[in-house]
C-alpha cells in the first residue's frame, strides 16, 4: 500500500473488519470515500458565492450503510442494473445469478461490489485507488474478477477510473450509484433541478425495469431531455415509461462514442451545475423514486423519494439478453478500463 500525505481515518467496522474513510482535498473541494462498497460518502464544492455545499447523499455509520438497500454512493457490480430472470449466457453456458429482486437480478445480487470492504491500494491527498476481488461463482458470475476503482479530485472534477480483469470469460458492467442533490444533500427534493441528457435514444423497459430490447427515439416524449428541462415538468407527464417506474428510471443511449459529455444538471437553488462525462455507451437516469421515507442520513439530514438523482454511467441493462445492445462480455485476461467524470461549475 502506498500512502503519501493521505487523510485516512477509521469509520467503523463490519463483522470485525475495519472500515476506513479516505478524504481527498483539492483547494475548496473535498470528497470522502469509504472502503465499504468503495462508496462516495461526501462531495463538497463551493457554490457561486463560495459557500461549500455537500452534493451527495450519505450516512454517518457503517450500520446505516448496511441497513439500506438503495446502493447510496456505492460502486455496484460486477454487473450494474437488472438481468431479466437472473439468467443469461456466457459462451453458451447458462448463468444462474442471484434473483434478489425476484425473479430478476438487480446490481449483481446480495454479494455485489457494494457489500464488500475494499482494500486501499494507494492514496494521496487528491486520489485513492481501492481494489476488490469478486470470487469465481459468487452471485453466479464466473471468474475471479479483480477490480480497482480510482477516485481523483482534480479541481472541480471528480474522476472515477475503473479497471477489471478476470481469469475466466465473464460479464462486467460496474457503475457508481451516487445520489446527487445539487442544492445540498440535506435540501429535500431535486424536482426543481433542471436536467439535460445528450441522447436521442433510450431503452424502454417493462414494469419490472427489464428492457424490452428496443432502442427508441426520445423525440416527442418526456424522455427527450436534449434541452435542459425542469425535472418537475417531466415527472408530471402522463407517460407509461415514467408511470411504470414512479419517475425517471431508464437507460439513455447518449449520442456519440468515446469519452464525451453526456449530461448536465443544475441545482435551482445553489446555482451549481454538474456535467457528466464518460466513455460508456449508456446512463441510467434515476430520480430516487424508491428511496424510503423517512431515511435518516448524515449530519441529521432526512432523505426520502427524490432526495437525490443518479446518473449511473453503464452499458445497457440486461445486455447479455439483447443481441442489439453493446456487449458486456469480458474475456479471460483482457483488461477492461473505463472513465467517468462529474464536473462542477456555475449554472449559466
Ligand atoms: C437503480 C435502478 C432503480 C433502483 C435503484 C436502487 O440503478 O435503476 O430501479 O433499483 O437502482 O434502489
Amino acid at each position: 500500500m502506498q500512502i503519501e500525505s493521505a487523510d485516512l481515518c477509521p469509520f467503523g467496522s463490519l463483522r470485525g473488519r475495519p472500515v476506513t474513510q479516505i478524504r481527498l482535498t483539492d483547494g475548496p473541494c473535498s470528497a470522502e470515500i469509504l472502503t465499504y462498497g468503495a462508496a462516495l460518502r461526501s462531495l463538497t464544492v463551493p457554490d457561486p458565492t463560495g459557500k461549500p455545499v455537500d452534493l451527495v447523499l450519505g450516512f454517518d455509520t457503517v450500520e446505516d450503510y448496511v441497513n439500506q438497500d438503495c446502493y447510496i454512493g456505492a460502486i455496484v457490480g460486477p454487473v450494474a442494473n437488472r438481468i431479466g430472470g437472473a439468467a443469461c449466457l456466457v459462451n453458451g453456458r447458462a448463468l444462474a445469478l442471484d434473483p434478489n429482486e425476484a425473479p430478476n437480478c438487480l446490481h449483481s445480487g446480495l454479494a455485489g461490489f457494494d457489500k464488500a470492504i475494499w482494500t486501499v491500494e494507494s492514496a494521496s491527498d487528491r486520489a485513492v485507488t481501492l481494489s476488490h476481488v469478486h470470487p469465481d461463482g459468487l452471485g453466479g458470475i464466473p471468474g475471479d474478477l479483480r477490480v480497482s476503482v480510482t477516485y481523483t479530485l482534480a479541481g472541480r472534477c471528480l474522476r472515477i477510473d475503473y479497471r477489471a480483469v478476470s481469469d475466466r470469460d465473464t460479464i462486467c458492467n460496474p457503475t457508481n450509484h451516487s445520489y446527487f442533490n445539487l442544492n445540498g444533500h440535506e435540501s429535500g427534493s431535486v424536482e426543481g433541478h433542471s436536467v439535460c441528457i445528450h441522447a436521442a435514444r433510450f431503452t424502454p423497459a417493462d414494469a419490472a425495469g427489464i428492457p424490452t430490447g428496443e432502442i427508441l427515439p426520445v423525440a416527442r416524449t418526456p424522455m427527450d431531455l436534449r434541452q435542459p428541462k425542469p425535472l418537475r415538468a417531466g415527472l408530471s407527464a402522463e407517460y407509461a415509461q415514467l408511470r411504470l417506474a414512479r419517475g425517471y428510471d431508464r437507460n439513455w443511449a447518449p449520442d456519440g462514442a468515446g469519452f464525451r459529455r453526456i449530461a448536465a444538471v443544475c441545482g435551482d437553488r445553489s446555482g451549481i451545475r454538474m456535467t457528466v462525462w464518460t466513455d460508456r455507451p449508456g446512463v441510467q437516469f434515476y430520480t430516487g423514486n424508491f428511496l424510503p421515507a423517512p431515511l435518516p442520513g448524515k449530519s441529521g439530514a432526512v432523505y426520502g423519494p427524490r432526495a437525490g438523482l443518479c446518473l449511473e454511467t453503464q452499458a445497457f441493462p440486461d445486455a447479455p439478453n439483447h443481441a442489439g445492445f453493446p456487449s458486456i462480455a469480458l474475456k479471460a485476461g483482457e483488461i477492461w478500463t473505463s472513465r467517468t467524470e462529474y464536473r462542477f461549475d456555475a449554472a449559466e
Side-chain angles (χ1 to χ4, degrees), residues 69-71 81-82 106-107 177 179 249 284 286 290 312:
D69 60 359
C70 307
Y71 305 87
N81 211 275
R82 296 182 172 82
L106 173 66
H107 296 321
H177 208 299
Y179 289 75
D249 187 10
Q284 188 81 14
Y286 170 54
F290 306 114
E312 305 155 52

Side-chain angles (χ1 to χ4, degrees), residues 5-302:
S5 65
D7 186 348
L8 272 69
C9 70
F11 184 72
S13 66
L14 182 61
R15 291 185 292 274
R17 290 185 58 199
V19 172
T20 302
Q21 173 169 283
I22 306 95
R23 184 178 164 84
L24 310 180
T25 37
D26 191 2
C29 301
S30 65
E32 290 168 321
I33 290 112
L34 300 177
T35 54
Y36 182 68
L40 178 65
R41 192 178 91 84
S42 74
L43 178 59
T44 301
V45 306
D47 73 8
T49 70
K51 183 179 136 230
V53 187
D54 180 356
L55 305 178
V56 294
L57 275 50
F59 299 107
D60 283 332
T61 67
V62 174
E63 291 67 35
D64 288 346
Y65 276 93
V66 171
N67 292 335
Q68 51 90 37
D69 60 359
C70 307
Y71 305 87
I72 293 195
I75 297 292
V76 300
V79 176
N81 211 275
R82 296 182 172 82
I83 299 284
C88 64
L89 298 177
V90 167
N91 292 344
R93 192 168 77 91
L95 304 187
L97 306 178
D98 178 1
N100 62 322
E101 192 181 77
N104 306 313
C105 177
L106 173 66
H107 296 321
S108 298
L110 296 177
F113 291 170
D114 61 293
K115 308 284 189 307
I117 299 179
W118 293 53
T119 303
V120 179
E121 288 293 333
S122 64
S124 66
D125 53 353
R126 289 190 195 173
V128 59
T129 298
L130 300 157
S131 69
H132 170 58
V133 181
H134 186 88
D136 184 25
L138 184 63
I141 295 175
D144 281 342
L145 184 69
R146 290 171 192 281
V147 59
S148 70
V149 168
T150 301
Y151 286 96
T152 306
L153 195 57
R156 294 178 190 206
C157 168
L158 181 75
R159 179 179 305 136
I160 310 178
D161 284 303
Y162 301 82
R163 185 183 192 278
V165 62
S166 170
D167 60 357
R168 291 178 63 192
D169 290 0
T170 192
I171 44 178
C172 175
N173 180 24
T175 191
N176 174 276
H177 208 299
S178 288
Y179 289 75
F180 294 93
N181 188 320
L182 299 181
N183 292 332
H185 78 98
E186 74 293 14
S187 69
S189 168
V190 292
E191 288 182 0
H193 285 42
S194 79
V195 175
C196 176
I197 301 180
H198 311 302
R201 299 182 307 157
F202 80 109
T203 55
D206 67 13
I210 305 300
T212 61
E214 299 156 288
I215 307 176
L216 294 184
V218 295
R220 291 179 293 282
T221 78
M223 311 308 255
D224 189 348
L225 301 171
R226 288 173 292 178
Q227 297 298 325
K229 193 158 140 180
L231 254 187
R232 196 171 282 118
L235 286 167
S236 58
E238 266 314 313
Y239 184 65
Q241 288 297 311
L242 290 169
R243 296 280 75 82
L244 286 173
R246 294 193 222 157
Y248 285 104
D249 187 10
R250 289 293 178 262
N251 171 70
W252 272 251
D255 305 336
F259 190 73
R260 67 219 185 279
R261 185 176 129 173
I262 60 152
V265 184
C266 290
D268 51 317
R269 281 183 271 147
S270 66
I272 296 175
R273 178 175 77 154
M274 173 172 82
T275 58
V276 184
W277 301 66
T278 191
D279 53 15
R280 309 296 294 279
V283 62
Q284 188 81 14
F285 173 45
Y286 170 54
T287 43
N289 315 331
F290 306 114
L291 285 168
L295 177 62
K298 61 190 175 188
S299 314
V302 180

